[in-house]
Amino acid sequence: MAATIVRSPKLSLSLPPPESTTSNLPSLNQSFFTPLPKRRRCISIYACTAGDQSNSAFGGEIKKGQAIELNKVNDENPYEFNAKDSPNPLPRPLTSADLSNMASEGSRLRVAYQGVRGAYSESAAEKAYPNCEAVPCEQFDTAFDAVERWLVDRAVLPIENSLGGSIHRNYDLLLRYRLHIVGEVKLAIRHCLLANNGVKIEDLKRVLSHPQALAQCENTLTKLGLVREAVDDTAGAAKYVAFSKLKDAGAVASLAASRIYGLNVLAQDIQDDSDNVTRFLMLAREPIIPRTDKPFKTSVVFSLDEGPGVLFKALAVFAMRSINLTKIESRPLQKQALRVLEDSVDGFPKYFPYLFYVDFEASMADQRAQNALGHLKEFATFLRVLGSYPSDSGIA
């Protein structure tokens, strides 16, 4: 059954890469970093206060100073936005043109995540940093940007799912921004079928959710004969169903979303495969000090010249030192011209330049890891350590 694509209206902006410098930049090994090209930009941030509001039905509130306006001017692409105050009683997600500059309240960490309240990413943020102030962001880019500008202290973002695979956007953003991976958390994804009060399963004609969530519940939704409608995130689907008071539509989202938006749970654990786990990365402006007294994982990214056996040679630097690789991901190297060989036909490129992201089980405090990366650096055209951090073996 074909899915109808519906996207909720929202303000979006493609940000230029942030200004990058190599001075005063903390790193595990400064020699592993290659500076990115500088771009000028002028940023102006000012506060737009909103009065205290609350709504017991949804358990949310807007605090004074919650909404912040951002005018961004780039020397090549000027943008200017004036977001209107949202009438919703729940905190509005930060957008690329709407970032909060409120200082941290007391000692509580402000942790950015993508989505709205009730998202699985919010649960991951609270698992990673208990008692934190979770800050919703509309896009992945916004969360990265908020950490880099000191608007929040950390970000917790998904990097891969056991069923859906890698989140490629976040791999690309890891290279664009100068943040460090300081930890990881794994979260079991348990989908629920939600609807408004008084609505029964037999009343439903359609269901809204993120495309991956809909795919993960394919068998259940097919049996119910429901039309699938894709939206940007699971919690956003629940919020839309609740605020629009839909009687013929439900949402696939988390149990937490049902409580936040006052929806009934018509069915729990409707995913087709119970082994549905998402791995999230914890990101910060500064790296942590690697240790060897507990299991650590290290993430790196590198590029190689094209040639037979070059990738084999790169991976061999880990194998010869008995270092186990847990993940390898290749991504096209962006903003670089496609390579054209002399024997290409009509100028069609024979191959793309690639970046290779690798996770391995070793700490940067381990001499084996240092030797492996020192060896790799001898023939890699680019090498950067993204982070060395404790492994998460538990699933919540």
Side-chain angles (χ1 to χ4, degrees):
M1 182 178 298
T4 303
I5 305 298
V6 175
R7 291 197 175 274
S8 54
K10 57 176 63 177
L11 187 63
S12 62
L13 170 64
S14 297
L15 283 174
E19 183 176 4
S20 173
T21 63
T22 54
S23 62
N24 301 322
L25 187 65
S27 65
L28 294 173
N29 188 329
Q30 198 69 276
S31 64
F32 287 150
F33 289 77
T34 299
L36 300 175
K38 292 185 178 181
R39 296 189 66 179
R40 254 183 338 117
R41 61 182 179 177
C42 174
I43 300 169
S44 172
I45 304 178
Y46 59 94
C48 173
T49 60
D52 293 338
Q53 300 180 31
S54 62
N55 188 323
S56 58
F58 298 105
E61 64 177 6
I62 295 180
K63 298 179 181 179
K64 186 175 181 180
Q66 186 79 47
I68 302 296
E69 302 296 334
L70 167 69
N71 285 340
K72 175 183 294 295
V73 180
N74 181 268
D75 55 352
E76 297 178 4
N77 300 296
Y79 300 99
E80 187 176 38
F81 293 92
N82 290 311
K84 297 180 179 179
D85 292 338
S86 171
N88 296 337
L90 296 171
R92 178 164 50 87
L94 298 177
T95 68
S96 300
D98 177 28
L99 291 172
S100 172
N101 68 346
M102 293 186 298
S104 298
E105 298 178 4
S107 60
R108 292 182 68 193
L109 283 176
R110 287 170 57 82
V111 181
Y113 67 92
Q114 188 275 329
V116 298
R117 289 196 61 202
Y120 292 106
S121 292
E122 182 184 32
S123 298
E126 292 171 347
K127 179 192 175 186
Y129 299 102
N131 301 318
C132 71
E133 179 187 352
V135 180
C137 296
E138 187 178 55
Q139 303 293 340
F140 293 131
D141 310 53
T142 314
F144 275 87
D145 209 32
V147 179
E148 196 167 77
R149 297 187 194 179
W150 295 75
L151 307 176
V152 296
D153 304 295
R154 301 284 190 276
V156 174
L157 299 170
I159 196 65
E160 62 177 327
N161 176 265
S162 58
L163 301 181
S166 301
I167 291 84
H168 295 138
R169 179 59 180 164
N170 283 338
Y171 272 104
D172 295 338
L173 292 173
L174 282 173
L175 189 61
R176 177 186 298 182
Y177 290 86
R178 289 290 187 173
L179 301 184
H180 300 268
I181 305 173
V182 296
E184 64 175 2
V185 290
K186 297 174 183 175
L187 189 72
I189 306 301
R190 303 179 61 182
H191 294 305
C192 300
L193 180 60
L194 311 179
N196 282 300
N197 292 327
V199 177
K200 300 179 181 179
I201 289 183
E202 51 268 25
D203 299 328
L204 299 180
K205 296 180 180 178
R206 55 198 178 103
V207 61
L208 288 69
S209 195
H210 187 276
Q212 280 199 13
L214 295 174
Q216 292 165 9
C217 303
E218 178 72 22
N219 293 340
T220 300
L221 300 180
T222 298
K223 290 178 182 178
L224 295 176
L226 300 177
V227 175
R228 280 70 124 186
E229 297 183 11
V231 294
D232 288 335
D233 59 83
T234 56
K239 179 179 179 180
Y240 179 77
V241 169
F243 282 26
S244 300
K245 299 180 180 179
L246 302 179
K247 297 299 182 181
D248 66 336
V252 173
S254 66
L255 189 61
S258 71
R259 302 190 188 104
I260 292 171
Y261 301 109
L263 297 175
N264 283 340
V265 179
L266 301 182
Q268 285 185 260
D269 294 328
I270 64 172
Q271 61 274 3
D272 299 336
D273 193 332
S274 58
D275 186 19
N276 187 8
V277 178
T278 297
R279 174 175 166 243
F280 295 80
L281 297 180
M282 300 152 62
L283 303 173
R285 287 178 293 274
E286 298 182 0
I288 60 174
I289 299 175
R291 297 160 54 182
T292 57
D293 59 343
K294 60 190 301 186
F296 257 64
K297 185 182 291 186
T298 299
S299 297
V300 300
V301 56
F302 59 89
S303 60
L304 303 166
D305 280 328
E306 182 69 12
V310 177
L311 180 57
F312 172 82
K313 181 180 178 181
L315 300 182
V317 305
F318 302 102
M320 66 176 58
R321 295 171 176 86
S322 300
I323 297 177
N324 183 46
L325 302 184
T326 60
K327 172 76 174 178
I328 179 169
E329 182 78 26
S330 62
R331 297 288 297 149
L333 181 56
Q334 299 180 3
K335 297 184 179 179
Q336 181 170 327
L338 301 178
R339 302 180 183 180
V340 181
L341 301 184
E342 293 180 358
D343 59 349
S344 61
V345 179
D346 296 329
F348 188 80
K350 188 171 183 179
Y351 61 87
F352 294 86
Y354 276 93
L355 289 168
F356 298 94
Y357 293 81
V358 170
D359 297 340
F360 59 86
E361 291 180 330
S363 168
M364 280 301 297
D366 189 333
Q367 191 64 44
R368 296 177 306 149
Q370 295 179 21
N371 292 340
L373 294 187
H375 190 177
L376 178 59
K377 189 182 177 185
E378 292 178 3
F379 54 90
T381 57
F382 167 82
L383 175 61
R384 176 178 167 189
V385 177
L386 297 173
S388 190
Y389 48 93
S391 302
D392 180 25
S393 57
I395 300 176

